[in-house]
Amino acid sequence: QVQLVESGGGLVQAGGSLRLSCTASGRAFGNYYMGWFRQAPGKEREFAAAISWIGGGGYYEDTVKGRFAISRDNAKNMVYLQMQSLKPDDTAVYYCAAGSTRFANYRDVSGYDYWGQGTQVTVSS
């Protein structure tokens, strides 16, 4: 069992930056690969970024490549999403997710076992 809590959302102007944080508690954090998803009103939840259990380079949706960076600190049980050059289309509720299923699709919601409640990111034009 893992509990995830996101923070760091808010209102930012287009072109600005924001860093989201996700704090995990419960089972050993290092046993999970982590992902960030986002969901705009009336739309399906979509993949944004993911990172392996050991860290290192992340994996990104094409729309956020070069602008978002995912990282994790297993010692602190935290994962981050640094967002730069934000656009109005980035406006959504952002969710932190944890997965442990072997050979799961990290780009799909089905690949994750636990989810946070989300944090709102609003980008004004």
Side-chain angles (χ1 to χ4, degrees), residues 17 21 33 72 79 87 107 117:
S17 301
S21 299
Y33 58 90
R72 68 189 296 165
V79 62
K87 306 174 181 179
R107 298 179 63 88
Q117 292 297 310

Side-chain angles (χ1 to χ4, degrees), residues 25-47:
S25 62
R27 189 173 172 81
F29 179 65
N31 292 339
Y32 298 86
Y33 58 90
M34 303 295 297
W36 284 98
F37 287 74
R38 60 186 186 177
Q39 186 169 21
K43 297 183 179 180
E44 295 184 350
R45 193 168 301 184
E46 68 174 5
F47 171 76

